[in-house]
Amino acid sequence: MKHLLFRIVAGLVVVVAALAAMVGAGLGAAKDAAGSTYPDPMAMNDAVRGIVDDAPRTRHDRSLPTAVVLLGSDGANVADTLAPFEVLATSKRFNVYTAAPERRPVPLTGGLDLVPDFSFAELDRRFPSGVDVVIAPQIPGGSATAAPVRDLLERQAASDATVVGICVGVEMLADAGLLDGRPATSNWLKLYGLTRDHPDVAWERDVRYVDDGNVVTTAGVLSGIDGALRIVERFAGESVARRVATAVSWTTYQPGGAATLPGSRIRPADSVALLNVGYRNPTDVGVLLTEGVGEIELASTFRPYTELAYVARTHALTMDGTPIRSQHGLTFVPRSTLGSTADELDRLLVPGGAAAEASNPAIVRAAATAGLQPEYLHRNDEFAFEPVLRDIAETTDVATATWVAKSLEYQVQSQLTGTAWPWSLTTKVVLAGLVGAALATAATVAMTRFLRSRAGLRRFVGHYLEMVLAMFAGMGLLMLPWMVIWPGVGNHEVLGTLVMGVNMTIGMATWMAIRGHDRRMIVEMSAAMVAPFVLLLLPLAAGVISDGTLMMAGHIVMFLTMLAAMLLRRHDYTHHQATWPWHVRRRTPSQSPDIRKAQRSPSAGLSRMNQP
């Protein structure tokens, strides 16, 4: 039994080492890829401040309702932001603005810097009684960055504004308590966490949006177009919404209600995202901004290659470094010029149907100087994301393009052609795993030889491993009854963590009793397991650590306190001769220790021979 237990543990060590090697090999690239998705905001020097001051604002029409798309200080999702903006602006039935905590360039996904129309303070002064519609996209940067946006949402909701949450931006509405007791939806991937963190919300899956009066929530990314069309329909009528849907080539608009979604769930093929973020060497792609480019056309160029795909680093640039205005009056600031960065680029993409029609010779000449060929993405009359997904399939692989479409919650209309799967990246992962497994195997063999020569240490390590396995067995087996008794225990992270700790303690204590340890040792080891979780409740209550930190830190400290308890009684754990309950030796009177000792004694044998 001991040999079988050791083999199981050794196998687990090798598997864990292989997985750790695969993850560790990709951590550096993953960090760089994630960091490049939302670069740091531009420094507000005199030149940038002058650009902001000169950026024009759309003329206000008092006869029209006002809609505002919110931005965070560290940025916002480019598709969540620009797609609803273009839908509302195309209708010509709204005053549409953007607003951020400060009026300074805000980096959207992939490094596209947008000058907001208003700061939050300016917005409050300009519209003291509130606006009609406020739109919340995904805001990167964590709770500190989202706090000012969430506060503005609460104020606008109190002023009877219709609040629209786009994709992951729905989380801010939930955090503000605007969704409690109401139906809502969000990005299919984000819903896994939202259903746990906000159990009071009636979350719905597989639907483009949920309209609940003054709150509208949408599913992932491009479902924001459906949510915006719903707003157009409510304020301006179905005919206007149809016209707008046709203008932006959006085919899933369903008058009077939300279209359904195919039902996205995590699948094995989605692992291509992990391969890309950890092992792909992204290309450097220049995105040339031109006057009058459509907002959705810009979003289609910056979002698919970057966030959740990580196949390219996009660089916003213009011919001479001056800002440009989009089709509906947004001001975008480039970070460089084509001439200064062309030598560093692998490709040059030019978004926009207008740019494709004009085919500026100056762009061709400037690109040719660096050996680049301008690639005009939007040559056909189709939805702007369609040619981009085809390009990703052709230049990367079909699996990545399919994943990108899934993350956007967009159903591709055309045939994707290209390499089916990134086999080169898969080979890198397998090699990393094999190296980790080989090192773990070598270490296990060396440790085995070391322990064979040290019986006491072997018993000590064996006891520790037995208790760890029993602990995890208790966690797995006892969680099932808890789920029956209290189905919602998993929704409360603190209580769920404490219950998990109790389950592990019961499993470990039971096994120690079976192995013959005395009560004192069982009590001590149980206290060593539970104590870290109980003690960490104090910094949790003080707000020093989060719920997630409680679980992670509790488990790490628990293994150390268990080891400390064993070291305090190392004599017991190195010499304790516990027996298996099913392997009890029966002793006959003739097999008692004293008789056997006498039988083995030579003098005892001689004395018996000399007896008469």
Side-chain angles (χ1 to χ4, degrees):
M1 183 68 183
K2 289 184 178 181
H3 292 294
L4 177 60
L5 179 64
F6 178 80
R7 290 174 183 173
I8 293 174
V9 173
L12 290 175
V13 169
V14 172
V15 171
V16 170
L19 294 174
M22 290 187 286
V23 173
L27 279 179
K31 184 178 180 180
D32 292 340
S36 65
T37 302
Y38 291 97
D40 294 333
M42 287 183 175
M44 280 295 285
N45 54 34
D46 292 339
V48 174
R49 191 172 290 105
I51 291 173
V52 172
D53 293 340
D54 294 339
R57 309 183 209 214
T58 304
R59 181 179 177 181
H60 188 75
D61 187 338
R62 293 179 180 272
S63 66
L64 298 178
T66 298
V68 178
V69 182
L70 304 182
L71 309 170
S73 57
D74 289 342
N77 183 286
V78 66
D80 293 0
T81 301
L82 298 186
F85 181 93
E86 180 170 338
V87 167
L88 297 179
T90 301
S91 73
K92 299 183 180 179
R93 299 298 182 91
F94 294 86
N95 297 299
V96 193
Y97 302 108
T98 57
E102 299 177 58
R103 194 165 190 247
R104 57 181 298 169
V106 172
L108 304 182
T109 314
L112 177 63
D113 293 280
L114 167 64
V115 177
D117 296 303
F118 298 107
S119 67
F120 286 173
E122 290 174 327
L123 185 70
D124 289 336
R125 290 194 299 269
R126 182 70 180 273
F127 305 98
S129 59
V131 298
D132 299 281
V133 179
V134 60
I135 297 176
Q138 175 190 355
I139 302 294
S143 57
T145 303
V149 183
R150 187 172 59 248
D151 293 342
L152 183 59
L153 286 170
E154 292 177 354
R155 295 198 301 272
Q156 292 294 331
S159 300
D160 294 327
T162 298
V163 179
V164 183
I166 308 294
C167 189
V168 178
V170 172
E171 183 175 25
M172 288 188 292
L173 278 64
D175 291 341
L178 299 177
L179 303 180
D180 289 347
R182 310 179 70 158
T185 190
S186 182
N187 176 278
W188 67 271
L189 197 55
K190 186 64 176 178
L191 278 173
Y192 288 103
L194 287 175
T195 53
R196 181 193 68 236
D197 298 337
H198 298 279
D200 295 332
V201 181
W203 295 106
E204 296 185 13
R205 284 183 175 271
D206 306 335
V207 63
R208 286 283 180 185
Y209 66 83
V210 173
D211 183 351
D212 191 43
N214 64 336
V215 174
V216 176
T217 53
T218 80
V221 193
L222 293 180
S223 292
I225 295 178
D226 292 277
L229 287 171
R230 177 60 171 167
I231 296 299
V232 173
E233 186 179 82
R234 285 174 50 176
F235 280 81
E238 179 184 322
S239 61
V240 178
R242 284 184 180 275
R243 172 176 59 81
V244 174
T246 301
V248 299
S249 300
W250 187 247
T251 60
T252 66
Y253 169 61
Q254 181 174 295
T260 58
L261 289 166
S264 296
R265 302 291 186 275
I266 295 177
R267 299 286 186 265
D270 299 338
S271 60
V272 69
L274 300 178
L275 294 176
N276 286 333
V277 71
Y279 291 88
R280 185 177 295 280
N281 184 22
T283 57
D284 286 285
V285 175
V287 181
L288 188 64
L289 310 181
T290 57
E291 286 290 325
V293 62
E295 289 82 12
I296 295 179
E297 291 172 335
L298 282 174
S300 73
T301 311
F302 282 90
R303 165 57 171 82
Y305 294 100
T306 55
E307 191 171 34
L308 296 183
Y310 308 112
V311 298
R313 290 182 290 263
T314 49
H315 307 270
L317 46 91
T318 59
M319 291 290 291
D320 55 6
T322 58
I324 63 102
R325 295 196 77 197
S326 65
Q327 182 180 2
H328 296 100
L330 293 178
T331 299
F332 295 95
V333 185
R335 296 207 175 194
S336 57
T337 65
L338 176 57
S340 63
T341 59
D343 292 340
E344 305 170 7
L345 302 177
D346 300 303
R347 302 178 66 190
L348 178 64
L349 302 181
V350 186
E357 291 180 7
S359 189
N360 190 342
I363 297 176
V364 177
R365 290 194 298 270
T369 303
L372 297 173
Q373 178 70 34
E375 300 176 50
Y376 294 93
L377 292 173
H378 304 110
R379 292 185 177 275
N380 302 321
D381 186 15
E382 58 185 339
F383 183 61
F385 279 74
E386 194 74 22
V388 176
L389 292 171
R390 289 198 301 267
D391 179 71
I392 292 176
E394 293 170 0
T395 60
T396 306
D397 54 75
V398 173
T400 296
T402 303
W403 160 251
V404 171
K406 183 177 181 178
S407 70
L408 296 168
E409 291 198 327
Y410 174 71
Q411 293 175 284
V412 183
Q413 304 298 310
S414 53
Q415 182 68 34
L416 299 179
T417 59
T419 304
W421 184 264
W423 294 111
S424 61
L425 303 185
T426 305
T427 301
K428 292 180 181 179
V429 175
V430 172
L431 289 176
L434 290 176
V435 170
L439 293 175
T441 301
T444 302
V445 171
M447 181 62 69
T448 301
R449 294 178 178 177
F450 177 77
L451 292 177
R452 283 176 179 171
S453 61
R454 293 162 174 80
L457 180 60
R458 185 170 67 249
R459 295 192 193 101
F460 186 91
V461 174
H463 281 305
Y464 187 84
L465 294 178
E466 283 180 17
M467 287 188 289
V468 169
L469 290 175
M471 175 180 68
F472 282 106
M475 178 183 67
L477 294 175
L478 296 178
M479 184 54 69
L480 296 175
W482 272 106
M483 293 176 66
V484 175
I485 298 170
W486 186 5
V489 64
N491 296 326
H492 304 278
E493 191 155 3
V494 175
L495 293 177
T497 300
L498 295 178
V499 168
M500 183 183 299
V502 171
N503 292 343
M504 290 189 296
T505 304
I506 293 174
M508 180 273 304
T510 301
W511 183 251
M512 289 184 71
I514 292 174
R515 291 285 279 129
H517 295 279
D518 61 40
R519 293 179 181 178
R520 181 185 59 184
M521 295 172 66
I522 295 174
V523 171
E524 289 175 351
M525 188 58 65
S526 299
M529 288 187 62
V530 176
F533 296 100
V534 175
L535 294 176
L536 286 171
L537 290 177
L538 297 176
L540 177 69
V544 178
I545 64 174
S546 64
D547 296 349
T549 304
L550 169 68
M551 176 174 285
M552 180 180 66
H555 282 81
I556 294 174
V557 177
M558 176 189 67
F559 287 115
L560 297 178
T561 53
M562 288 174 60
L563 181 61
M566 291 182 66
L567 289 174
L568 289 175
R569 296 191 178 278
R570 57 183 178 274
H571 176 79
D572 294 318
Y573 285 102
T574 55
H575 296 86
H576 178 66
Q577 300 296 325
T579 59
W580 301 98
W582 55 84
H583 187 199
V584 179
R585 294 180 179 178
R586 296 180 179 179
R587 294 174 178 174
T588 62
S590 63
Q591 291 175 322
S592 65
D594 293 338
I595 293 177
R596 288 200 305 272
K597 182 176 180 181
Q599 290 175 344
R600 288 193 299 268
S601 172
S603 60
L606 290 174
S607 63
R608 284 195 301 272
M609 293 176 62
N610 294 328
Q611 288 179 354

